Amino acid sequence: MTEVVPASLAVPSSSSHPPPSSSSSSSSFTRTSDHCDERAPLLATARRRPRRPPTMAEKATTLLRRLEVDNEPGLTNAQLMLTNHDLKPVEPARRQWGPWNFVGFWIADSFNINTWMISSSMIVSGLSWWQSWLCVWIGYFIAACFICATGRIGATYHIGFPVVARSSFGIWGSLWPVFNRAAMACVWYGVQSWIGGTCVYLMIRACWAKYEDLPNSMPASSGTNTRDFVAFFLFSLCSLPAIWFPVHKIRHLFTVKAYVVPVAGFAFFGWCVHRAGGVGPIIHQPSTLHGSALAWEFVKGVMSSIANFATLIVNDPDFARFAGKPRDALWSQLITIPCGFAFTSFIGIIVSSSSALIFGGDPIWNPLDLLSNFLSEGGAGTRTGVFLIAAAFSLAQLGTNIAANSVSAGTDMTALLPRYLNIRRGGYVCAAVGLAMCPWRLLSSSNNFTLYLSSYSVFLSSIAGVMISDYYIVRRGYLEIRALYSARPQDPYFFALGVHWRAYAAYIAGILINVVGFVGAIKQDPNAVPIGATYIYNVNFFAGFLVSAGVYWGLCKVWPVPACADRWMEVDTDVEELRLAYDGSASDVESGKKY
């Protein structure tokens, strides 16, 4: 039987579809080959053609992108100017500072040459030793109260000074107080580095006596010499590695300093008392002032102690935000600050007073000058003692510089340019500025030094007045954390164009109350300004603080501000990951506790 195949499935015969001729196939191949042959020279030319070099604008854009710090995706350009990882609230994993860490921090910070010089300079001004010490106790206790007031904000909400300032001065208006504080930190960094350089100079001289005769290649107009500048540069260079470590890890540096430096300080104290013939002759040195002159010198001594803390009063939230609980940053600071600084100042006062008995003449208010005098006497034992004490003082200056200046300036600069700077980079910028300035001019005499302290406390006291009045009186402890990182006009801290005019009016008022007396202090002529202005300037920190705080409260009473509580309401927010993007695609993982 034959199988029938359906027509639809039948294979067409060769007659119906003849195969293509070899000539047509060859023709098609020839055309394709010709087309490839035509493109080959063009491709070869394109490969050989050099790429267009990038323009300067493209190079700058590439460099800026590489310099950007890591940040949360989805942020607008305005938000990128308000936040980065170092500005966000500290997450629980990095809140590693307990009460004993703060105790060690302030003990370590109290043993530094600056504290020694402030108390000793009161002896130069005519006060007796116990009057100078009483000034220190009162001044540093008042400073501790201010420290705890500002530090509680950071310990509760775990935010630093630049972010705290946004609630009172506005999102963009806070940049000026932050810049003001950063500039002062850079200046102070240079001052502390110069003092640390003097310690290095003593260490080198104790090992190599001919270093004293190092040829000078610097002009007289510079105000210094090659010998001192080299030591200053070496101290600054050795400080750079310490800036690298994050804030929550540098507490170990303060622990080491808290053990080493006090031992050296008490050894220096015992050495001077022994050389002076005991404590008796020092205690009986009377004051050279009487009446109203004595009273005003006492007041200025108290204000000098407070002015020494003017920068730390403003930026204590930069450290307190790493506290595990708000109370960890309260009693530990309130007790340790006056006690630690009073004991350091006591050593400075006794040593300064004893110098008049050891070498004759006026008291030597700078302990490093006193060590230099000891070194001039020669002897292997003396050189060894000077070297060890100077090395401990170098460590003291390093710790103080990192804690009070480098970290503070780095945090402030992070807020000024958060897209490109973090605390580490800002710390190195601070070190560069401190190297470029002329800190030795501020330390040329005790009068210049105390004048510098008073002058910058005029500006910082007004900032502190506005901040404390805003948090404790106007807002009653309530802050909306997410709004502090928002540039939207409808959010509560944007105010008018991001600037809070009430805060600036109060800030300027707090400065103006001291301006006339400040001019008189600069001229160093008591008859240049009215005597009343001089008296106000003698209490410049209190005057600036009270006026700015009062004016700010009054303006907010007349023209109320948003985001205020009708009762005391602090909310401790445990933020695991704060998301700030406006699109709302992400949320926080947090739990709030009210106090």
Side-chain angles (χ1 to χ4, degrees), residues 226-530:
T226 303
R227 177 198 64 202
D228 295 340
F229 188 82
V230 167
F232 167 60
F233 180 81
L234 289 175
F235 179 86
S236 300
L237 185 65
C238 294
S239 300
L240 296 182
I243 301 176
W244 182 266
F245 296 97
V247 179
H248 64 281
K249 291 184 177 180
I250 60 174
R251 66 187 190 280
H252 303 300
L253 171 65
F254 306 130
T255 302
V256 173
K257 179 184 171 183
Y259 283 105
V260 173
V261 181
V263 172
F266 282 112
F268 193 20
F269 168 80
W271 191 5
C272 291
V273 170
H274 175 73
R275 290 287 303 273
V279 178
I282 302 173
I283 292 178
H284 292 92
Q285 284 187 210
S287 170
T288 59
L289 300 174
H290 305 281
S292 61
L294 174 61
W296 279 113
E297 198 61 44
F298 187 89
V299 170
K300 288 191 287 186
V302 172
M303 298 310 301
S304 179
S305 300
I306 298 175
N308 186 36
F309 257 65
T311 55
L312 292 168
I313 287 172
V314 170
N315 76 278
D316 190 62
D318 293 339
F319 295 95
R321 65 182 179 140
F322 293 95
K325 299 179 292 295
R327 65 174 176 268
D328 290 344
L330 178 58
W331 297 107
S332 56
Q333 298 191 99
L334 187 63
I335 296 175
T336 307
I337 289 174
C339 293
F341 282 82
F343 280 117
T344 303
S345 300
F346 175 78
I347 295 175
I349 290 169
I350 298 300
V351 170
S352 178
S353 299
S354 64
S355 65
L357 300 176
I358 297 172
F359 296 102
D362 296 329
I364 301 174
W365 70 285
N366 189 332
L368 301 182
D369 291 342
L370 184 55
L371 283 176
S372 181
N373 284 3
F374 283 152
L375 200 57
S376 300
E377 295 178 346
T382 299
R383 291 183 179 279
T384 302
V386 170
F387 178 87
L388 294 176
I389 294 173
F393 283 167
S394 297
L395 177 62
Q397 294 307 114
L398 172 63
T400 300
N401 233 3
I402 297 300
N405 304 311
S406 173
V407 172
S408 302
T411 305
D412 296 338
M413 292 182 189
T414 299
L416 295 176
L417 204 59
R419 191 167 185 171
Y420 301 103
L421 292 179
N422 52 26
I423 294 179
R424 180 180 293 161
R425 293 180 181 179
Y428 285 117
V429 173
C430 173
V433 174
L435 182 65
M437 60 170 290
C438 301
W440 52 85
R441 297 188 183 276
L442 293 173
L443 299 172
S444 59
S445 71
S446 62
N447 186 51
N448 286 351
F449 186 66
T450 54
L451 176 61
Y452 164 72
L453 290 177
S454 299
S455 63
Y456 81 74
S457 68
V458 167
F459 302 96
L460 297 182
S461 63
S462 297
I463 296 174
V466 172
M467 286 174 52
I468 291 177
S469 178
D470 177 77
Y471 183 79
Y472 287 96
I473 302 176
V474 175
R475 302 190 186 278
R476 295 180 175 88
Y478 177 71
L479 293 177
E480 295 183 8
I481 294 299
R482 189 187 299 275
L484 291 171
Y485 300 90
S486 173
R488 294 182 295 190
Q490 64 267 30
D491 284 321
Y493 306 116
F494 193 81
F495 301 108
L497 301 177
V499 179
H500 192 189
W501 66 268
R502 302 169 187 83
Y504 270 91
Y507 169 71
I508 294 173
I511 294 175
L512 290 178
I513 192 68
N514 286 308
V515 163
V516 178
F518 175 71
V519 173
I522 293 296
K523 293 184 176 180
Q524 299 184 4
D525 182 6
N527 299 321
V529 297

Side-chain angles (χ1 to χ4, degrees), residues 572-575 589-593:
D572 182 11
T573 305
D574 291 335
V575 181
V589 180
E590 61 180 38
S591 62
K593 295 180 288 184

Side-chain angles (χ1 to χ4, degrees), residues 66-116:
R66 290 180 178 177
L67 289 176
E68 289 183 0
V69 299
D70 294 335
N71 219 323
E72 173 187 341
L75 299 180
T76 65
N77 287 331
Q79 284 184 300
L80 289 173
M81 296 302 295
L82 289 172
T83 185
N84 62 24
H85 175 71
D86 286 339
L87 287 175
K88 284 185 176 182
V90 177
E91 64 275 11
R94 290 193 296 149
R95 300 174 194 169
Q96 300 178 4
W97 285 52
W100 287 108
N101 291 122
F102 284 99
V103 170
F105 172 82
W106 288 116
I107 289 176
D109 190 67
S110 65
F111 276 87
N112 65 83
I113 306 300
N114 173 46
T115 304
W116 193 304

Side-chain angles (χ1 to χ4, degrees), residues 469 473-474 506 548-558:
S469 178
I473 302 176
V474 175
S548 61
V551 170
Y552 182 81
W553 173 80
L555 292 176
C556 291
K557 196 74 173 176
V558 177

Side-chain angles (χ1 to χ4, degrees), residues 146-218:
F146 284 117
I147 284 281
C148 293
T150 57
R152 182 173 178 82
I153 308 174
T156 301
Y157 290 97
H158 311 289
I159 53 178
F161 159 66
V163 181
V164 173
R166 294 172 184 173
S167 67
S168 52
F169 286 90
I171 292 297
W172 305 121
S174 62
L175 294 180
W176 168 247
V178 170
F179 173 80
N180 197 325
R181 171 65 186 93
M184 296 303 172
C186 290
V187 173
W188 202 236
Y189 185 96
V191 170
Q192 296 285 15
S193 295
W194 179 258
I195 299 173
T198 307
C199 297
V200 173
Y201 154 73
L202 290 173
M203 294 169 62
I204 298 174
R205 186 181 162 198
C207 299
W208 180 32
K210 293 184 178 180
Y211 184 73
E212 177 71 15
D213 302 323
L214 188 71
N216 180 32
S217 61
M218 304 185 71

